[in-house]
Amino acid sequence: MDVGVTVAVCVAVGVLVGVRVAVGVTVGVGVAVGVTVGVGVAVCVDVGVGVIVGVLVGVCVAVAV
């Protein structure tokens, strides 16, 4: 096998590995963003539940009074 061919194959393999790593990083970033958005949604739901509970407590207090 010619040295040039060997080098070319090594470079090609290196590029393929690099692309796979890049895809992995991109997917990782996507997952991280998804988790962040999920946490944001969870916080919003939590706040929403808190508001509903607050309203219910307010109504109960109003009825009691």
Side-chain angles (χ1 to χ4, degrees):
M1 213 169 168
D2 192 355
V3 173
V5 173
T6 305
V7 170
V9 169
C10 287
V11 169
V13 170
V15 168
L16 285 177
V17 170
V19 168
R20 286 174 182 267
V21 170
V23 169
V25 169
T26 305
V27 169
V29 169
V31 170
V33 169
V35 170
T36 305
V37 169
V39 169
V41 169
V43 169
C44 286
V45 169
D46 195 43
V47 169
V49 169
V51 168
I52 292 169
V53 170
V55 169
L56 288 176
V57 169
V59 168
C60 289
V61 168
V63 169
V65 169

